[in-house]
Amino acid sequence: MNDLPNSIPAAVADALCYLNGEYTPLREARVSVLDRGFLFGDGLYEVVPVYGRRLFRFDEHLARLERSCAKVRITNPHDAPQWLERMRRLIAAQYEASGATDQLIYLQITRGVAVRDHVMPKDLPPTVFMMASVMKPPTAEQRHAGVACITARDFRWERGDIKSISLLGNVMARQLSADHGAEETVMLRDGFLTEAAACNVWMVKDGALIGPPKSEHVLEGVRFELLRELCEDEGIAYSLRPISEGELLAADELLLSSATKEILPVTRLDGEPVGHGALGGKPGPVYARLYEAYQRAKASQSI
């Protein structure tokens, strides 16, 4: 039986996934229509990069999952060794099927299955789903030339600090950039930078890397701490503080960071080049140093 549409490639449909204690091909996985993730978007997720069949900053991703679980009152169903064992089995299966050594682990926890009611039921067994997919990193051309982004008002809900599966606002924001042929939508709330639809956003000014402060409007990406560490290693000043729209538009460099993009230079914003003088519209020197440092971290911080 195959209920997946023809638009799903066979290699994806046949990939092994994990669902509530069982491993099964993705095409055979089933979730109840009364699952609160389906009805309400009542759940959480994480995306963990895999390099050379090893999980990158596994502990940090698990710590963020724990923070999100606590904020929405879902009990984390597995401890670290259990998550690790399950992820490694999926990585091995994806490698056997595709030969891909660089992958992404997607995991999702919903509150579980219950009669539809907005109030959170107590003591439900959570629904747990995981899959491994082939990583699709930015292209060499994107790294060489940088990418274009647009700005928009941050119209999403107030709890961006929770890595929720309720992503309609992010989907709408990302579609704005797709409609303009851009890579991402950089969002502003009350005149200050928050983040992009699916990335954190960083500004470089006078050689220093600056990001927005941690708040309920910004998801604390795992790369927050990683970039702080890389800046320390490279002797680059690092700070988190409010960034106004004017500062954003006048930045020397702009960077995106995420599990899939790692760090990526933004060279055009709202159709205008980022940066000044000869470097305007080109990836800058701080990006180049951090990108190389990031590649070294991948080798030393994966398990």
Side-chain angles (χ1 to χ4, degrees):
M1 181 177 180
N2 180 14
D3 295 336
L4 294 177
N6 293 332
S7 59
I8 305 296
V12 174
D14 291 336
L16 194 70
C17 71
Y18 173 90
L19 180 62
N20 294 336
E22 296 184 357
Y23 296 90
T24 181
L26 193 61
R27 68 170 75 249
E28 297 177 11
R30 299 289 183 271
V31 177
S32 170
V33 294
L34 289 179
D35 191 277
R36 288 177 63 89
F38 176 72
L39 293 175
F40 295 115
D42 185 2
L44 309 164
Y45 77 103
E46 272 293 332
V47 180
V48 187
V50 175
Y51 300 110
R53 292 187 282 167
R54 298 190 301 157
L55 292 147
F56 182 58
R57 290 181 77 91
F58 169 79
D59 290 340
E60 288 80 1
H61 279 280
L62 218 56
R64 184 171 63 181
L65 179 66
E66 286 281 6
R67 292 195 298 270
S68 291
C69 282
K71 289 173 182 177
V72 301
R73 306 184 197 179
I74 291 177
T75 300
N76 188 338
H78 300 311
D79 60 24
Q82 290 171 328
W83 282 118
L84 188 59
E85 185 275 329
R86 288 158 174 77
M87 290 182 188
R88 283 177 168 166
R89 179 165 174 178
L90 293 176
I91 292 166
Q94 179 60 247
Y95 174 69
E96 183 176 352
S98 68
T101 59
D102 291 356
Q103 305 174 21
L104 292 173
I105 290 286
Y106 175 86
L107 75 88
Q108 177 172 305
I109 306 171
T110 78
R111 197 173 305 278
V113 178
V115 174
R116 188 181 186 279
D117 187 338
H118 283 70
V119 176
M120 298 176 181
K122 295 181 179 179
D123 303 320
L124 281 184
T127 298
V128 183
F129 169 75
M130 275 196 296
M131 62 180 178
S133 59
V134 178
M135 184 182 289
K136 297 180 180 179
T139 65
E141 175 60 22
Q142 287 176 316
R143 296 213 174 278
H144 174 74
V147 297
C149 293
I150 63 168
T151 59
R153 177 178 63 87
D154 190 345
F155 49 76
R156 304 165 306 155
W157 74 318
E158 296 282 341
R159 294 306 306 272
D161 59 313
I162 299 171
K163 201 165 178 66
S164 165
I165 62 172
S166 304
L167 289 173
L168 181 58
N170 300 68
V171 168
M172 293 173 67
R174 178 65 184 90
Q175 188 60 43
L176 287 175
S177 54
D179 291 343
H180 287 81
E183 182 68 21
E184 256 287 17
T185 301
V186 175
M187 292 182 284
L188 298 147
R189 188 183 292 262
D190 299 325
F192 288 88
L193 172 67
T194 52
E195 57 189 0
C199 300
N200 290 118
V201 182
W202 304 85
M203 175 181 80
V204 175
K205 193 66 179 178
D206 298 327
L209 185 71
I210 306 166
K214 300 174 186 178
S215 74
E216 291 186 344
H217 297 149
V218 176
L219 179 68
E220 184 182 342
V222 168
R223 270 129 292 276
F224 263 64
E225 180 62 19
L226 172 61
L227 287 176
R228 186 197 66 77
E229 295 170 6
L230 298 184
C231 283
E232 183 176 334
D233 292 343
E234 291 292 311
I236 297 170
Y238 170 98
S239 66
L240 302 179
R241 63 166 178 78
I243 298 172
S244 70
E245 182 175 5
E247 288 183 295
L248 184 76
L249 298 177
D252 299 333
E253 300 178 42
L254 293 177
L255 309 177
L256 303 174
S257 69
S258 73
T260 52
K261 289 180 172 58
E262 299 178 358
I263 51 172
L264 189 65
V266 177
T267 49
R268 297 193 71 83
L269 187 64
D270 290 335
E272 298 297 324
V274 174
H276 314 284
L279 288 177
K282 299 177 181 178
V286 172
Y287 161 72
R289 291 171 63 189
L290 289 175
Y291 175 73
E292 291 301 324
Y294 198 113
Q295 305 316 299
R296 294 192 294 271
K298 285 158 54 175
S300 63
Q301 298 186 29
S302 299
I303 61 171

